[in-house]
Amino acid sequence: MIKSFLSRTKNRRPDTKSATFIVTLLLVGVVFGEPGTPASDTRENPLWKQLDNRVGEIVGRFDGVMGLAIVDLIDGRTILRNADREFPTASSIKIAILLELYHQDQEARAGAQAKAKLDDVYDFDPKELVEFSQIMSGLTPGVTRVTNRDLAQFMVAVSDNTAANILIDRVGKDNVNAMLRGLGLTKTMLRRKMMDFAAARRGEENVSTPQEMTRLLEAIYKSKLLNKELNQQLIKQLSTLKESYIPHDLPAGVPVANKPGNLQNVRTDSGIIFVRDRPFAMSVMTSNARDERAAERAISEIALEAYRCFETRSKVPISDLRNRIDSITFVFKQTIKR
């Protein structure tokens, strides 16, 4: 369009407004690129292709079943492998429980009745203990009182299963699933409490897909369900440092809001990685893993490859930008002289 405009004005002296219009179009091209094309597309495409290839190699050599989704939270680009396949979520489903707790607190603040609140108090009852409850198993019966916010912290920080089960009772399993459906997530289901293996044997497993887990994370990042204040609180809580696979190999200090999960032959991790100016969501889910440690290492390796790609994409090529602006300035001066 710019080239044809210049050719039409070649044999006549353009006025200042016309020249300004030309420069404006060129500057728009510098900042935004052509319509429908992400900025710096020519520079970034090789990076994206390289990441896609590396991800394919890791998935291809994995001895088991692996699915993943990586989503650029700025421009929406994705890398997908078996992304619509259902996997057991293990403890990654606790992200949905956490979101529904905050959702109900928001509704309660707006006047809704019979909703769980973050500051509701729970009196510790040892009869509710299940396995892998590092915090709850150390509380004192008849003495210790904690809030739902505390329970959520136990659930996120050390994946305390008793805390998760109490929150499931308090927010309601059906409400968690209704919230997920409201976000358009049809394959993500909370079907049972933690450590209820009898339910799992009946086929009542907690499941999702890598793509739906990243869509859930994107809904959190974009505050599609919560107001800004509560959304920031949720992300801060989900960003609690914890033993997990996504941040394992990343540089120290990179904020990651994630929740891993593990069952026998199953390893998963889903989270938001806050690369400066280029955050992204990722979910890696595995099953039938013959080597569980290899599954953990694969998730960490994919996270590091993705981080490197997004960290590079976040850097603005200042020298290239200056060269393009100098060229535009030259065109402008030549146009005025004609």
Side-chain angles (χ1 to χ4, degrees):
M1 181 174 70
I2 295 170
K3 187 179 292 185
S4 63
F5 188 93
L6 287 170
S7 65
R8 289 200 304 269
T9 61
K10 185 174 181 180
N11 297 320
R12 57 187 172 87
R13 180 183 178 85
D15 58 27
T16 303
K17 289 183 178 179
S18 297
T20 302
F21 175 68
I22 295 169
V23 174
T24 300
L25 288 174
L26 290 167
L27 285 171
V28 168
V30 168
V31 179
F32 297 107
E34 292 300 318
T37 304
S40 302
D41 191 58
T42 56
R43 185 180 71 93
E44 293 177 2
N45 270 343
L47 289 171
W48 198 250
K49 185 176 180 180
Q50 182 180 16
L51 175 60
D52 189 51
N53 289 338
R54 284 292 296 124
V55 164
E57 291 171 7
I58 296 168
V59 173
R61 70 170 185 254
F62 180 67
D63 191 3
V65 182
M66 175 181 288
L68 67 87
I70 299 172
V71 180
D72 187 325
L73 293 172
I74 300 302
D75 66 20
R77 294 189 194 201
T78 60
I79 290 176
L80 308 172
R81 293 289 190 284
N82 298 318
D84 287 325
R85 180 173 182 144
E86 285 188 6
F87 290 84
T89 59
S91 284
S92 291
I93 196 66
K94 292 170 182 175
I95 296 173
I97 300 168
L98 183 70
L99 180 56
E100 177 57 18
L101 172 62
Y102 276 80
H103 179 223
Q104 290 197 20
D105 184 82
Q106 178 172 276
E107 292 182 314
R109 294 185 188 195
Q113 300 298 310
K115 300 293 181 180
K117 306 183 193 69
L118 285 164
D119 294 331
D120 285 345
V121 174
Y122 167 74
D123 293 301
F124 173 60
D125 183 352
K127 293 193 295 293
E128 297 188 280
L129 284 172
V130 296
E131 290 182 89
F132 302 106
S133 300
Q134 296 96 313
I135 301 295
M136 297 295 290
S137 62
L139 302 184
T140 306
V143 176
T144 305
R145 306 181 78 202
V146 296
T147 65
N148 284 343
R149 191 191 302 271
D150 296 328
L151 293 170
Q153 186 66 17
F154 304 158
M155 177 179 73
V156 169
V158 296
S159 207
D160 193 294
N161 286 324
T162 299
N165 286 348
I166 294 165
L167 288 176
I168 290 172
D169 285 338
R170 292 192 153 200
V171 302
K173 182 174 63 176
D174 291 341
N175 290 327
V176 173
N177 290 324
M179 176 271 295
L180 292 167
R181 300 299 166 269
L183 293 173
L185 307 178
T186 60
K187 295 182 178 180
T188 306
M189 288 174 271
L190 174 65
R191 290 169 167 161
R192 64 171 178 86
K193 288 185 175 182
M194 307 302 117
M195 307 308 294
D196 187 353
F197 295 119
R201 285 191 294 270
R202 295 194 300 268
E204 299 170 14
E205 186 57 273
N206 300 324
V207 296
S208 185
T209 71
Q211 190 162 38
E212 287 209 354
M213 288 302 294
T214 55
R215 287 173 59 194
L216 177 60
L217 292 164
E218 185 175 12
I220 291 171
Y221 176 78
K222 295 183 177 179
S223 198
K224 290 184 177 180
L225 196 63
L226 304 176
N227 62 43
K228 184 177 180 180
E229 177 190 358
L230 283 174
N231 208 64
Q232 288 176 342
Q233 290 179 29
L234 183 150
I235 289 175
K236 180 180 179 181
Q237 189 161 55
L238 194 59
S239 300
T240 302
L241 290 176
K242 61 186 79 72
E243 288 189 20
S244 52
Y245 318 126
I246 286 177
H248 188 271
D249 293 340
L250 302 187
V254 176
V256 179
N258 72 307
K259 186 69 193 77
N262 68 80
L263 292 168
Q264 185 176 4
N265 305 123
V266 170
R267 292 294 185 271
T268 72
D269 204 352
S270 299
I272 303 168
I273 297 82
F274 290 91
V275 176
R276 183 179 178 182
D277 299 325
R278 208 80 201 196
F280 67 97
M282 67 173 288
S283 176
V284 184
M285 308 182 78
T286 70
S287 63
N288 302 323
R290 294 191 180 184
D291 183 343
E292 294 171 344
R293 300 288 87 77
E296 295 167 6
R297 289 193 298 270
I299 296 173
S300 298
E301 186 177 1
I302 291 168
L304 180 59
E305 293 288 349
Y307 168 80
R308 286 170 172 165
C309 174
F310 280 87
E311 197 271 338
T312 302
R313 294 180 76 206
S314 70
K315 296 175 182 177
V316 179
I318 297 297
S319 59
D320 291 348
L321 186 60
R322 284 174 179 163
N323 289 337
R324 293 177 69 182
I325 291 174
D326 288 343
S327 298
I328 291 169
T329 303
F330 175 79
V331 171
F332 176 77
K333 288 179 180 178
Q334 292 301 109
T335 303
I336 293 299
K337 287 179 182 178
R338 289 175 186 163

